[in-house]
Amino acid sequence: MTDLRLGVLGYGLRGSLARIAHRPGAGSRVTALADHDVTARTEAAVAFPGALISTDHRKVVEDPDVDAVVILTPDHTHAQLACEALRENKPVFVEKPLEIGIEACDEILRTAYETGTRLYVGHNMRHMPVVRLMRDIIGRGDIGEVKTVWVRHFVAYGGDWYFKDWHAERQHTTGLLLQKAAHDIDVLHWLAGGYTRQVQALGDLMVYGDNPNRREPGEPKTDDWYTKDGHWPPHTQRDLNPVIDVEDVSLVNMRLDNGVLASYQQCHFTPDYWRNYTVIGDAGRLENFGDGPGGVVKVWNRRRSSYRPEADAEYPVPDAQDEGGHGGSDPLLIEEFVRFVREGGRTDTSPVAARMAVAAGVRATQSLREGGAPREVPVLDPELIAYFERGQTR
């Protein structure tokens, strides 16, 4: 089997996905890449010997020697780039979130539908062992029918990852309820078996808003911009982005279309970085303690009681080999994309679900900035839903 030839747009922090996908002789390889940044292009030339390296994305999208396009650029560029590639009949991988607006997401899905070109969205958490474990527990009925889901997201490295570059600006992300929470909203929807129809949110810029230690406009990030050991507490962060206008603490309430009630909380004060899911059904509840190797999912489902740390069942989070980040999910994500490009069929990730995660995040952000006013989440065209549920076939 010949390698699938991949063209990559963008080689920033998620350039790790391109490196995972570059497996000459093993199914896929990067043959072309475009990025505006000279340092990124220099690093890409080393990582992908012989590949076409350019500043112009069109040279990648229109290259006859590119079989599929992988989009790893900032969120607000996804619709333009994805639609161009889809119209060139190149299957497309779009990193999450799908886009920063509902209309832009719908444009991508509509273009994929009209061209018949395959679209894949990089919601890698659907491949994370802890998420798979929780979904399996729910699927076999251990807690009964899901009634409510609570998600707490502790973000220890927020200053390093989101407030030192374009992630800190509304014009590029809308807000972290898209850029960051799209992961968890998608997982929440997957576990609950429904999509958000109504949201209400509160939030503020509480952690980094008053920090005056910012770079000058146009000044690049420092070489030591990220560290797991320093920058604590949060106010000791330095060289933050010149513009910071997205919230770093948020609380969201959601009503899903199947009656499930859910909540999501995100905080960048916290010293520890992990996600805590509590899923309550009509016959029990589950909760994860840790979301990677060494973590455990506990289930209480046999009797009523006061607080008891000993659960009725405990399941260790599988120790997946973390070659590509995110608990080993990134290699599985790329593997599924390559298979999908070659063979088609259904995938565990879903363009419809990706759109619904963005739609919930957009409306929650609007609610947050309107003082908590409830907002309705617009439904997607049923014709598009049916198309993608069929595995993108007519």
Side-chain angles (χ1 to χ4, degrees), residues 354-366:
R355 183 270 189 188
M356 294 307 300
V358 169
V362 167
R363 288 294 187 256
T365 302
Q366 293 171 348

Side-chain angles (χ1 to χ4, degrees), residues 372-389:
R375 297 297 302 263
E376 298 293 323
V377 177
V379 298
L380 181 62
D381 183 342
E383 186 176 26
L384 292 180
I385 294 175
Y387 173 73
F388 286 103
E389 287 183 348

